[in-house]
Amino acid sequence: MHGGEFAERIGALTEIRAHRPQAVAEAAATRKRRPSLLGPSGRLMIVAADHPARGAFAAGDRPLAMADRAELLRRLCVALGRPGVDGVLGTPDVIEDLLLLGVLDDKVVIGSMNRGGLAGASFEIDDRFTAYDVPAIAERGLDGGKMLLRIDDDDPATARTLESCAHAVTGLARQGLMAMVEPFISRREGGRVRNVLTPEAMTRAVAIASGLGATSAHTWLKVPVVDEMERVMAASTLPALLLGGEVTDDRDAALATWRKALALPGVMGIVAGRTLLYPPGDDVAAAVDAAVEVMP
């Protein structure tokens, strides 16, 4: 759609929500779903947009990049319209905007579940499930749910998050839906939660995440690319998607690390957000196309 038409449709979202809130459920009910998670390529390219609900707006050197909802939606629509993009990951507000815009037919739609561990908060590790729950994901016809699992051995709140993620994995599996778990070993440095991105830490995180829930039949992992990825991926037989990571000026280097990791057994695709939606130069289509090209 051209710029003027898109601006009109964005402008209408608030009116629809105010006067016809049932339109969200109607759009979800009529969305055309694809027959399987994996498309013809046997891979998954998912665009992530669940950062704002955690109060995380920064992309590269722009501290409030993702705070403009209309601009975020515009970039998402561009990304979802590119060949090879399979779907989106987001919180209910973002997914519902995209449903109302009519851009989710034949796409994999993953609902983001735990957003309670707000970025920078003292309770960040107590990552409660404040967005989608299992019944809502099933009722809205989504394809799965995603949860972040940060394991801090020095923070007792980790146990609650582990238990909540395990319940979500079990519940999604009972509905035959993907449970996407993004695990990290984390620790506080200077009062802020930092993820430990060593091969040893990620191997431990992958092993713990793989054992969550009453069954792992529908569990997928979302993992960052770290050194010695072959060691990390050897810790589990679950399918994994690569985390896009932070925005970087060296796109070629980032693509090279993705290409190398995608060649490992078990790695089935990429979930990327800011690195595709807010690339240097702001050419979303080019950034998405380049990422799709590295998929074997």
Side-chain angles (χ1 to χ4, degrees), residues 50-56 91 112-131 146-150 155 157 161 164 186 188 192-193 195:
D50 59 346
H51 310 78
R54 200 179 287 284
T91 45
S112 189
M113 303 180 75
N114 58 331
R115 297 281 95 187
L118 301 182
S122 62
F123 52 85
E124 190 168 347
I125 291 297
D126 188 354
D127 206 350
R128 305 198 181 191
F129 282 61
T130 56
K146 174 256 181 178
M147 61 210 78
L148 177 63
L149 174 63
R150 289 171 294 186
D155 193 327
T161 304
S164 297
S186 304
R188 285 197 178 268
R192 296 187 67 86
V193 175
N195 296 327

PDB file of all heavy atoms in Angstrom, residues 50-56 91 112-131 146-150 155 157 161 164 186 188 192-193 195:
ATOM      1  N   ASP A  50       8.292  -7.443  19.943  1.00  0.00           N
ATOM      2  CA  ASP A  50       7.732  -7.443  21.295  1.00  0.00           C
ATOM      3  C   ASP A  50       8.550  -6.612  22.275  1.00  0.00           C
ATOM      4  O   ASP A  50       8.284  -6.628  23.482  1.00  0.00           O
ATOM      5  CB  ASP A  50       7.573  -8.878  21.812  1.00  0.00           C
ATOM      6  CG  ASP A  50       8.877  -9.669  21.863  1.00  0.00           C
ATOM      7  OD1 ASP A  50       9.872  -9.207  21.261  1.00  0.00           O
ATOM      8  OD2 ASP A  50       8.894 -10.743  22.488  1.00  0.00           O
ATOM      9  N   HIS A  51       9.507  -5.851  21.781  1.00  0.00           N
ATOM     10  CA  HIS A  51      10.376  -5.064  22.651  1.00  0.00           C
ATOM     11  C   HIS A  51       9.656  -3.946  23.406  1.00  0.00           C
ATOM     12  O   HIS A  51       9.900  -3.770  24.609  1.00  0.00           O
ATOM     13  CB  HIS A  51      11.533  -4.469  21.834  1.00  0.00           C
ATOM     14  CG  HIS A  51      12.260  -5.452  20.991  1.00  0.00           C
ATOM     15  ND1 HIS A  51      11.758  -5.907  19.785  1.00  0.00           N
ATOM     16  CD2 HIS A  51      13.453  -6.080  21.165  1.00  0.00           C
ATOM     17  CE1 HIS A  51      12.609  -6.762  19.260  1.00  0.00           C
ATOM     18  NE2 HIS A  51      13.636  -6.902  20.074  1.00  0.00           N
ATOM     19  N   PRO A  52       8.778  -3.161  22.781  1.00  0.00           N
ATOM     20  CA  PRO A  52       8.179  -2.026  23.503  1.00  0.00           C
ATOM     21  C   PRO A  52       7.435  -2.410  24.770  1.00  0.00           C
ATOM     22  O   PRO A  52       7.435  -1.647  25.744  1.00  0.00           O
ATOM     23  CB  PRO A  52       7.220  -1.424  22.456  1.00  0.00           C
ATOM     24  CG  PRO A  52       7.835  -1.766  21.140  1.00  0.00           C
ATOM     25  CD  PRO A  52       8.395  -3.149  21.350  1.00  0.00           C
ATOM     26  N   ALA A  53       6.805  -3.578  24.803  1.00  0.00           N
ATOM     27  CA  ALA A  53       6.030  -3.967  25.984  1.00  0.00           C
ATOM     28  C   ALA A  53       6.915  -4.199  27.200  1.00  0.00           C
ATOM     29  O   ALA A  53       6.412  -4.264  28.331  1.00  0.00           O
ATOM     30  CB  ALA A  53       5.210  -5.227  25.682  1.00  0.00           C
ATOM     31  N   ARG A  54       8.207  -4.340  26.991  1.00  0.00           N
ATOM     32  CA  ARG A  54       9.143  -4.448  28.113  1.00  0.00           C
ATOM     33  C   ARG A  54       9.751  -3.089  28.439  1.00  0.00           C
ATOM     34  O   ARG A  54      10.625  -2.967  29.292  1.00  0.00           O
ATOM     35  CB  ARG A  54      10.248  -5.464  27.780  1.00  0.00           C
ATOM     36  CG  ARG A  54      10.979  -6.005  28.996  1.00  0.00           C
ATOM     37  CD  ARG A  54      12.045  -7.010  28.626  1.00  0.00           C
ATOM     38  NE  ARG A  54      11.500  -8.282  28.197  1.00  0.00           N
ATOM     39  CZ  ARG A  54      10.987  -9.191  29.012  1.00  0.00           C
ATOM     40  NH1 ARG A  54      10.941  -8.967  30.294  1.00  0.00           N
ATOM     41  NH2 ARG A  54      10.519 -10.328  28.540  1.00  0.00           N
ATOM     42  N   GLY A  55       9.293  -2.043  27.739  1.00  0.00           N
ATOM     43  CA  GLY A  55       9.848  -0.716  27.938  1.00  0.00           C
ATOM     44  C   GLY A  55      11.198  -0.554  27.284  1.00  0.00           C
ATOM     45  O   GLY A  55      11.985   0.320  27.657  1.00  0.00           O
ATOM     46  N   ALA A  56      11.486  -1.374  26.279  1.00  0.00           N
ATOM     47  CA  ALA A  56      12.767  -1.338  25.568  1.00  0.00           C
ATOM     48  C   ALA A  56      12.526  -0.753  24.173  1.00  0.00           C
ATOM     49  O   ALA A  56      11.942  -1.415  23.316  1.00  0.00           O
ATOM     50  CB  ALA A  56      13.366  -2.731  25.470  1.00  0.00           C
ATOM     51  N   THR A  91       3.513  -8.866  20.957  1.00  0.00           N
ATOM     52  CA  THR A  91       2.552  -8.821  22.053  1.00  0.00           C
ATOM     53  C   THR A  91       1.159  -8.561  21.479  1.00  0.00           C
ATOM     54  O   THR A  91       1.019  -8.189  20.306  1.00  0.00           O
ATOM     55  CB  THR A  91       2.948  -7.719  23.041  1.00  0.00           C
ATOM     56  OG1 THR A  91       3.290  -6.534  22.323  1.00  0.00           O
ATOM     57  CG2 THR A  91       4.135  -8.150  23.884  1.00  0.00           C
ATOM     58  N   SER A 112       3.863 -13.179  22.131  1.00  0.00           N
ATOM     59  CA  SER A 112       4.836 -13.008  23.205  1.00  0.00           C
ATOM     60  C   SER A 112       4.099 -13.043  24.544  1.00  0.00           C
ATOM     61  O   SER A 112       3.079 -12.385  24.715  1.00  0.00           O
ATOM     62  CB  SER A 112       5.574 -11.675  23.041  1.00  0.00           C
ATOM     63  OG  SER A 112       6.650 -11.583  23.938  1.00  0.00           O
ATOM     64  N   MET A 113       4.615 -13.802  25.501  1.00  0.00           N
ATOM     65  CA  MET A 113       3.860 -14.136  26.703  1.00  0.00           C
ATOM     66  C   MET A 113       4.335 -13.409  27.959  1.00  0.00           C
ATOM     67  O   MET A 113       3.545 -12.776  28.646  1.00  0.00           O
ATOM     68  CB  MET A 113       3.897 -15.655  26.918  1.00  0.00           C
ATOM     69  CG  MET A 113       3.366 -16.443  25.720  1.00  0.00           C
ATOM     70  SD  MET A 113       3.399 -18.235  25.926  1.00  0.00           S
ATOM     71  CE  MET A 113       2.016 -18.481  27.043  1.00  0.00           C
ATOM     72  N   ASN A 114       5.601 -13.519  28.318  1.00  0.00           N
ATOM     73  CA  ASN A 114       6.045 -12.902  29.581  1.00  0.00           C
ATOM     74  C   ASN A 114       6.781 -11.601  29.304  1.00  0.00           C
ATOM     75  O   ASN A 114       7.858 -11.570  28.741  1.00  0.00           O
ATOM     76  CB  ASN A 114       6.912 -13.860  30.410  1.00  0.00           C
ATOM     77  CG  ASN A 114       8.152 -14.353  29.684  1.00  0.00           C
ATOM     78  OD1 ASN A 114       8.174 -14.469  28.463  1.00  0.00           O
ATOM     79  ND2 ASN A 114       9.189 -14.663  30.433  1.00  0.00           N
ATOM     80  N   ARG A 115       6.162 -10.503  29.721  1.00  0.00           N
ATOM     81  CA  ARG A 115       6.728  -9.165  29.542  1.00  0.00           C
ATOM     82  C   ARG A 115       6.822  -8.416  30.865  1.00  0.00           C
ATOM     83  O   ARG A 115       7.033  -7.214  30.885  1.00  0.00           O
ATOM     84  CB  ARG A 115       5.851  -8.345  28.583  1.00  0.00           C
ATOM     85  CG  ARG A 115       5.745  -8.876  27.173  1.00  0.00           C
ATOM     86  CD  ARG A 115       6.975  -8.536  26.343  1.00  0.00           C
ATOM     87  NE  ARG A 115       7.949  -9.593  26.327  1.00  0.00           N
ATOM     88  CZ  ARG A 115       9.161  -9.485  25.784  1.00  0.00           C
ATOM     89  NH1 ARG A 115       9.558  -8.363  25.222  1.00  0.00           N
ATOM     90  NH2 ARG A 115       9.983 -10.504  25.803  1.00  0.00           N
ATOM     91  N   GLY A 116       6.633  -9.148  31.978  1.00  0.00           N
ATOM     92  CA  GLY A 116       6.608  -8.470  33.267  1.00  0.00           C
ATOM     93  C   GLY A 116       7.970  -8.051  33.793  1.00  0.00           C
ATOM     94  O   GLY A 116       8.060  -7.168  34.639  1.00  0.00           O
ATOM     95  N   GLY A 117       9.044  -8.652  33.290  1.00  0.00           N
ATOM     96  CA  GLY A 117      10.385  -8.279  33.739  1.00  0.00           C
ATOM     97  C   GLY A 117      10.875  -7.059  32.992  1.00  0.00           C
ATOM     98  O   GLY A 117      11.683  -7.153  32.070  1.00  0.00           O
ATOM     99  N   LEU A 118      10.353  -5.905  33.376  1.00  0.00           N
ATOM    100  CA  LEU A 118      10.619  -4.673  32.631  1.00  0.00           C
ATOM    101  C   LEU A 118      12.111  -4.345  32.609  1.00  0.00           C
ATOM    102  O   LEU A 118      12.817  -4.516  33.606  1.00  0.00           O
ATOM    103  CB  LEU A 118       9.844  -3.508  33.234  1.00  0.00           C
ATOM    104  CG  LEU A 118       8.323  -3.670  33.280  1.00  0.00           C
ATOM    105  CD1 LEU A 118       7.675  -2.414  33.855  1.00  0.00           C
ATOM    106  CD2 LEU A 118       7.757  -3.981  31.898  1.00  0.00           C
ATOM    107  N   ALA A 119      12.567  -3.857  31.469  1.00  0.00           N
ATOM    108  CA  ALA A 119      13.987  -3.549  31.289  1.00  0.00           C
ATOM    109  C   ALA A 119      14.436  -2.528  32.327  1.00  0.00           C
ATOM    110  O   ALA A 119      13.856  -1.456  32.461  1.00  0.00           O
ATOM    111  CB  ALA A 119      14.220  -3.014  29.883  1.00  0.00           C
ATOM    112  N   GLY A 120      15.487  -2.882  33.079  1.00  0.00           N
ATOM    113  CA  GLY A 120      16.059  -1.979  34.058  1.00  0.00           C
ATOM    114  C   GLY A 120      15.392  -1.991  35.414  1.00  0.00           C
ATOM    115  O   GLY A 120      15.870  -1.337  36.348  1.00  0.00           O
ATOM    116  N   ALA A 121      14.300  -2.750  35.562  1.00  0.00           N
ATOM    117  CA  ALA A 121      13.581  -2.771  36.839  1.00  0.00           C
ATOM    118  C   ALA A 121      14.288  -3.665  37.861  1.00  0.00           C
ATOM    119  O   ALA A 121      14.994  -4.605  37.496  1.00  0.00           O
ATOM    120  CB  ALA A 121      12.155  -3.262  36.627  1.00  0.00           C
ATOM    121  N   SER A 122      14.063  -3.385  39.159  1.00  0.00           N
ATOM    122  CA  SER A 122      14.650  -4.212  40.205  1.00  0.00           C
ATOM    123  C   SER A 122      14.077  -5.621  40.179  1.00  0.00           C
ATOM    124  O   SER A 122      14.717  -6.560  40.654  1.00  0.00           O
ATOM    125  CB  SER A 122      14.404  -3.580  41.583  1.00  0.00           C
ATOM    126  OG  SER A 122      13.010  -3.494  41.850  1.00  0.00           O
ATOM    127  N   PHE A 123      12.874  -5.780  39.605  1.00  0.00           N
ATOM    128  CA  PHE A 123      12.199  -7.082  39.536  1.00  0.00           C
ATOM    129  C   PHE A 123      12.335  -7.722  38.162  1.00  0.00           C
ATOM    130  O   PHE A 123      11.535  -8.568  37.789  1.00  0.00           O
ATOM    131  CB  PHE A 123      10.711  -6.917  39.888  1.00  0.00           C
ATOM    132  CG  PHE A 123      10.019  -5.834  39.096  1.00  0.00           C
ATOM    133  CD1 PHE A 123       9.494  -6.072  37.835  1.00  0.00           C
ATOM    134  CD2 PHE A 123       9.903  -4.555  39.619  1.00  0.00           C
ATOM    135  CE1 PHE A 123       8.865  -5.078  37.100  1.00  0.00           C
ATOM    136  CE2 PHE A 123       9.267  -3.549  38.896  1.00  0.00           C
ATOM    137  CZ  PHE A 123       8.745  -3.820  37.636  1.00  0.00           C
ATOM    138  N   GLU A 124      13.360  -7.347  37.405  1.00  0.00           N
ATOM    139  CA  GLU A 124      13.474  -7.784  36.012  1.00  0.00           C
ATOM    140  C   GLU A 124      13.492  -9.303  35.855  1.00  0.00           C
ATOM    141  O   GLU A 124      12.937  -9.844  34.901  1.00  0.00           O
ATOM    142  CB  GLU A 124      14.719  -7.165  35.366  1.00  0.00           C
ATOM    143  CG  GLU A 124      14.795  -7.375  33.875  1.00  0.00           C
ATOM    144  CD  GLU A 124      15.868  -6.515  33.211  1.00  0.00           C
ATOM    145  OE1 GLU A 124      16.389  -5.586  33.859  1.00  0.00           O
ATOM    146  OE2 GLU A 124      16.184  -6.788  32.036  1.00  0.00           O
ATOM    147  N   ILE A 125      14.119 -10.018  36.765  1.00  0.00           N
ATOM    148  CA  ILE A 125      14.198 -11.476  36.644  1.00  0.00           C
ATOM    149  C   ILE A 125      12.863 -12.136  36.970  1.00  0.00           C
ATOM    150  O   ILE A 125      12.571 -13.239  36.490  1.00  0.00           O
ATOM    151  CB  ILE A 125      15.320 -12.021  37.559  1.00  0.00           C
ATOM    152  CG1 ILE A 125      16.689 -11.585  37.020  1.00  0.00           C
ATOM    153  CG2 ILE A 125      15.285 -13.548  37.643  1.00  0.00           C
ATOM    154  CD1 ILE A 125      17.041 -12.130  35.649  1.00  0.00           C
ATOM    155  N   ASP A 126      12.028 -11.479  37.757  1.00  0.00           N
ATOM    156  CA  ASP A 126      10.689 -11.996  38.055  1.00  0.00           C
ATOM    157  C   ASP A 126       9.808 -11.703  36.846  1.00  0.00           C
ATOM    158  O   ASP A 126       8.967 -10.805  36.858  1.00  0.00           O
ATOM    159  CB  ASP A 126      10.135 -11.329  39.313  1.00  0.00           C
ATOM    160  CG  ASP A 126       8.827 -11.969  39.784  1.00  0.00           C
ATOM    161  OD1 ASP A 126       8.298 -12.844  39.068  1.00  0.00           O
ATOM    162  OD2 ASP A 126       8.353 -11.588  40.859  1.00  0.00           O
ATOM    163  N   ASP A 127      10.010 -12.490  35.802  1.00  0.00           N
ATOM    164  CA  ASP A 127       9.452 -12.178  34.477  1.00  0.00           C
ATOM    165  C   ASP A 127       8.062 -12.803  34.331  1.00  0.00           C
ATOM    166  O   ASP A 127       7.888 -13.869  33.750  1.00  0.00           O
ATOM    167  CB  ASP A 127      10.394 -12.688  33.387  1.00  0.00           C
ATOM    168  CG  ASP A 127      10.256 -11.896  32.100  1.00  0.00           C
ATOM    169  OD1 ASP A 127       9.319 -11.097  31.985  1.00  0.00           O
ATOM    170  OD2 ASP A 127      11.105 -12.085  31.218  1.00  0.00           O
ATOM    171  N   ARG A 128       7.087 -12.122  34.868  1.00  0.00           N
ATOM    172  CA  ARG A 128       5.736 -12.679  34.912  1.00  0.00           C
ATOM    173  C   ARG A 128       5.050 -12.637  33.555  1.00  0.00           C
ATOM    174  O   ARG A 128       5.374 -11.810  32.700  1.00  0.00           O
ATOM    175  CB  ARG A 128       4.909 -11.931  35.952  1.00  0.00           C
ATOM    176  CG  ARG A 128       5.599 -11.958  37.315  1.00  0.00           C
ATOM    177  CD  ARG A 128       4.697 -11.639  38.448  1.00  0.00           C
ATOM    178  NE  ARG A 128       5.462 -11.676  39.693  1.00  0.00           N
ATOM    179  CZ  ARG A 128       4.894 -11.650  40.890  1.00  0.00           C
ATOM    180  NH1 ARG A 128       3.576 -11.596  41.005  1.00  0.00           N
ATOM    181  NH2 ARG A 128       5.644 -11.687  41.980  1.00  0.00           N
ATOM    182  N   PHE A 129       4.067 -13.522  33.401  1.00  0.00           N
ATOM    183  CA  PHE A 129       3.344 -13.650  32.134  1.00  0.00           C
ATOM    184  C   PHE A 129       2.209 -12.630  32.120  1.00  0.00           C
ATOM    185  O   PHE A 129       1.130 -12.857  32.661  1.00  0.00           O
ATOM    186  CB  PHE A 129       2.833 -15.080  31.969  1.00  0.00           C
ATOM    187  CG  PHE A 129       3.910 -16.029  31.526  1.00  0.00           C
ATOM    188  CD1 PHE A 129       5.032 -16.243  32.310  1.00  0.00           C
ATOM    189  CD2 PHE A 129       3.823 -16.690  30.315  1.00  0.00           C
ATOM    190  CE1 PHE A 129       6.039 -17.094  31.898  1.00  0.00           C
ATOM    191  CE2 PHE A 129       4.831 -17.549  29.887  1.00  0.00           C
ATOM    192  CZ  PHE A 129       5.939 -17.749  30.685  1.00  0.00           C
ATOM    193  N   THR A 130       2.499 -11.481  31.513  1.00  0.00           N
ATOM    194  CA  THR A 130       1.566 -10.359  31.534  1.00  0.00           C
ATOM    195  C   THR A 130       0.974 -10.055  30.156  1.00  0.00           C
ATOM    196  O   THR A 130       0.213  -9.102  30.016  1.00  0.00           O
ATOM    197  CB  THR A 130       2.280  -9.100  32.063  1.00  0.00           C
ATOM    198  OG1 THR A 130       3.441  -8.845  31.246  1.00  0.00           O
ATOM    199  CG2 THR A 130       2.718  -9.279  33.499  1.00  0.00           C
ATOM    200  N   ALA A 131       1.327 -10.823  29.149  1.00  0.00           N
ATOM    201  CA  ALA A 131       0.780 -10.590  27.801  1.00  0.00           C
ATOM    202  C   ALA A 131      -0.094 -11.794  27.431  1.00  0.00           C
ATOM    203  O   ALA A 131      -1.029 -12.121  28.141  1.00  0.00           O
ATOM    204  CB  ALA A 131       1.910 -10.349  26.801  1.00  0.00           C
ATOM    205  N   LYS A 146       5.836 -17.360  22.716  1.00  0.00           N
ATOM    206  CA  LYS A 146       7.258 -17.194  22.998  1.00  0.00           C
ATOM    207  C   LYS A 146       7.453 -16.700  24.422  1.00  0.00           C
ATOM    208  O   LYS A 146       6.686 -15.862  24.917  1.00  0.00           O
ATOM    209  CB  LYS A 146       7.876 -16.198  22.017  1.00  0.00           C
ATOM    210  CG  LYS A 146       9.339 -15.835  22.314  1.00  0.00           C
ATOM    211  CD  LYS A 146       9.445 -14.456  22.940  1.00  0.00           C
ATOM    212  CE  LYS A 146      10.894 -14.068  23.209  1.00  0.00           C
ATOM    213  NZ  LYS A 146      10.999 -12.706  23.774  1.00  0.00           N
ATOM    214  N   MET A 147       8.474 -17.218  25.086  1.00  0.00           N
ATOM    215  CA  MET A 147       8.779 -16.792  26.447  1.00  0.00           C
ATOM    216  C   MET A 147      10.274 -16.601  26.613  1.00  0.00           C
ATOM    217  O   MET A 147      11.084 -17.329  26.027  1.00  0.00           O
ATOM    218  CB  MET A 147       8.247 -17.801  27.462  1.00  0.00           C
ATOM    219  CG  MET A 147       8.839 -19.179  27.342  1.00  0.00           C
ATOM    220  SD  MET A 147       7.723 -20.511  27.851  1.00  0.00           S
ATOM    221  CE  MET A 147       6.636 -20.632  26.415  1.00  0.00           C
ATOM    222  N   LEU A 148      10.650 -15.582  27.377  1.00  0.00           N
ATOM    223  CA  LEU A 148      12.045 -15.314  27.708  1.00  0.00           C
ATOM    224  C   LEU A 148      12.350 -15.935  29.064  1.00  0.00           C
ATOM    225  O   LEU A 148      11.579 -15.776  30.012  1.00  0.00           O
ATOM    226  CB  LEU A 148      12.297 -13.805  27.752  1.00  0.00           C
ATOM    227  CG  LEU A 148      13.694 -13.335  28.142  1.00  0.00           C
ATOM    228  CD1 LEU A 148      14.730 -13.804  27.126  1.00  0.00           C
ATOM    229  CD2 LEU A 148      13.715 -11.807  28.264  1.00  0.00           C
ATOM    230  N   LEU A 149      13.454 -16.655  29.148  1.00  0.00           N
ATOM    231  CA  LEU A 149      13.859 -17.301  30.393  1.00  0.00           C
ATOM    232  C   LEU A 149      15.283 -16.871  30.733  1.00  0.00           C
ATOM    233  O   LEU A 149      16.248 -17.339  30.128  1.00  0.00           O
ATOM    234  CB  LEU A 149      13.791 -18.823  30.256  1.00  0.00           C
ATOM    235  CG  LEU A 149      14.336 -19.616  31.443  1.00  0.00           C
ATOM    236  CD1 LEU A 149      13.525 -19.349  32.702  1.00  0.00           C
ATOM    237  CD2 LEU A 149      14.373 -21.103  31.125  1.00  0.00           C
ATOM    238  N   ARG A 150      15.391 -15.956  31.712  1.00  0.00           N
ATOM    239  CA  ARG A 150      16.704 -15.531  32.177  1.00  0.00           C
ATOM    240  C   ARG A 150      16.964 -16.171  33.534  1.00  0.00           C
ATOM    241  O   ARG A 150      16.167 -16.019  34.462  1.00  0.00           O
ATOM    242  CB  ARG A 150      16.769 -13.998  32.253  1.00  0.00           C
ATOM    243  CG  ARG A 150      16.795 -13.371  30.867  1.00  0.00           C
ATOM    244  CD  ARG A 150      16.651 -11.871  30.914  1.00  0.00           C
ATOM    245  NE  ARG A 150      15.329 -11.478  31.399  1.00  0.00           N
ATOM    246  CZ  ARG A 150      14.895 -10.217  31.428  1.00  0.00           C
ATOM    247  NH1 ARG A 150      15.683  -9.249  31.012  1.00  0.00           N
ATOM    248  NH2 ARG A 150      13.685  -9.941  31.863  1.00  0.00           N
ATOM    249  N   ASP A 155      19.378 -14.802  42.082  1.00  0.00           N
ATOM    250  CA  ASP A 155      18.077 -14.155  42.234  1.00  0.00           C
ATOM    251  C   ASP A 155      16.999 -15.223  42.416  1.00  0.00           C
ATOM    252  O   ASP A 155      16.697 -15.968  41.483  1.00  0.00           O
ATOM    253  CB  ASP A 155      17.764 -13.293  41.001  1.00  0.00           C
ATOM    254  CG  ASP A 155      16.588 -12.359  41.232  1.00  0.00           C
ATOM    255  OD1 ASP A 155      15.662 -12.736  41.983  1.00  0.00           O
ATOM    256  OD2 ASP A 155      16.591 -11.248  40.660  1.00  0.00           O
ATOM    257  N   ALA A 157      13.935 -15.088  42.318  1.00  0.00           N
ATOM    258  CA  ALA A 157      12.801 -14.939  41.397  1.00  0.00           C
ATOM    259  C   ALA A 157      12.950 -15.815  40.168  1.00  0.00           C
ATOM    260  O   ALA A 157      11.967 -16.077  39.468  1.00  0.00           O
ATOM    261  CB  ALA A 157      12.644 -13.480  40.983  1.00  0.00           C
ATOM    262  N   THR A 161      10.018 -17.779  37.498  1.00  0.00           N
ATOM    263  CA  THR A 161      10.019 -17.682  36.042  1.00  0.00           C
ATOM    264  C   THR A 161      10.178 -19.056  35.405  1.00  0.00           C
ATOM    265  O   THR A 161       9.507 -19.378  34.422  1.00  0.00           O
ATOM    266  CB  THR A 161      11.138 -16.733  35.568  1.00  0.00           C
ATOM    267  OG1 THR A 161      10.973 -15.460  36.208  1.00  0.00           O
ATOM    268  CG2 THR A 161      11.084 -16.541  34.067  1.00  0.00           C
ATOM    269  N   SER A 164       6.828 -20.815  35.694  1.00  0.00           N
ATOM    270  CA  SER A 164       5.839 -20.243  34.773  1.00  0.00           C
ATOM    271  C   SER A 164       6.112 -20.671  33.340  1.00  0.00           C
ATOM    272  O   SER A 164       5.180 -20.999  32.588  1.00  0.00           O
ATOM    273  CB  SER A 164       5.853 -18.717  34.884  1.00  0.00           C
ATOM    274  OG  SER A 164       5.483 -18.291  36.179  1.00  0.00           O
ATOM    275  N   SER A 186      21.961 -15.313  33.229  1.00  0.00           N
ATOM    276  CA  SER A 186      22.067 -13.862  33.436  1.00  0.00           C
ATOM    277  C   SER A 186      22.652 -13.561  34.798  1.00  0.00           C
ATOM    278  O   SER A 186      22.643 -14.396  35.706  1.00  0.00           O
ATOM    279  CB  SER A 186      20.679 -13.211  33.312  1.00  0.00           C
ATOM    280  OG  SER A 186      20.079 -13.508  32.073  1.00  0.00           O
ATOM    281  N   ARG A 188      23.532  -9.809  37.471  1.00  0.00           N
ATOM    282  CA  ARG A 188      23.476  -8.355  37.607  1.00  0.00           C
ATOM    283  C   ARG A 188      24.886  -7.770  37.655  1.00  0.00           C
ATOM    284  O   ARG A 188      25.738  -8.247  38.393  1.00  0.00           O
ATOM    285  CB  ARG A 188      22.698  -7.959  38.861  1.00  0.00           C
ATOM    286  CG  ARG A 188      21.196  -8.136  38.696  1.00  0.00           C
ATOM    287  CD  ARG A 188      20.404  -7.390  39.738  1.00  0.00           C
ATOM    288  NE  ARG A 188      18.973  -7.569  39.501  1.00  0.00           N
ATOM    289  CZ  ARG A 188      18.239  -6.748  38.765  1.00  0.00           C
ATOM    290  NH1 ARG A 188      18.807  -5.689  38.196  1.00  0.00           N
ATOM    291  NH2 ARG A 188      16.947  -6.970  38.595  1.00  0.00           N
ATOM    292  N   ARG A 192      22.219  -3.783  36.738  1.00  0.00           N
ATOM    293  CA  ARG A 192      21.453  -4.132  35.545  1.00  0.00           C
ATOM    294  C   ARG A 192      21.661  -5.607  35.190  1.00  0.00           C
ATOM    295  O   ARG A 192      22.737  -6.171  35.429  1.00  0.00           O
ATOM    296  CB  ARG A 192      21.859  -3.257  34.356  1.00  0.00           C
ATOM    297  CG  ARG A 192      21.556  -1.778  34.556  1.00  0.00           C
ATOM    298  CD  ARG A 192      21.821  -0.975  33.300  1.00  0.00           C
ATOM    299  NE  ARG A 192      20.881  -1.327  32.248  1.00  0.00           N
ATOM    300  CZ  ARG A 192      19.669  -0.776  32.115  1.00  0.00           C
ATOM    301  NH1 ARG A 192      19.251   0.137  32.973  1.00  0.00           N
ATOM    302  NH2 ARG A 192      18.885  -1.119  31.120  1.00  0.00           N
ATOM    303  N   VAL A 193      20.636  -6.213  34.643  1.00  0.00           N
ATOM    304  CA  VAL A 193      20.711  -7.608  34.234  1.00  0.00           C
ATOM    305  C   VAL A 193      21.475  -7.721  32.918  1.00  0.00           C
ATOM    306  O   VAL A 193      21.137  -7.041  31.934  1.00  0.00           O
ATOM    307  CB  VAL A 193      19.300  -8.206  34.085  1.00  0.00           C
ATOM    308  CG1 VAL A 193      19.387  -9.639  33.545  1.00  0.00           C
ATOM    309  CG2 VAL A 193      18.570  -8.192  35.411  1.00  0.00           C
ATOM    310  N   ASN A 195      23.096 -10.608  30.109  1.00  0.00           N
ATOM    311  CA  ASN A 195      23.129 -11.999  29.675  1.00  0.00           C
ATOM    312  C   ASN A 195      24.569 -12.437  29.445  1.00  0.00           C
ATOM    313  O   ASN A 195      25.368 -11.690  28.875  1.00  0.00           O
ATOM    314  CB  ASN A 195      22.316 -12.173  28.395  1.00  0.00           C
ATOM    315  CG  ASN A 195      20.854 -11.870  28.612  1.00  0.00           C
ATOM    316  OD1 ASN A 195      20.311 -12.122  29.686  1.00  0.00           O
ATOM    317  ND2 ASN A 195      20.195 -11.311  27.612  1.00  0.00           N
TER     318      ASN A 195
END
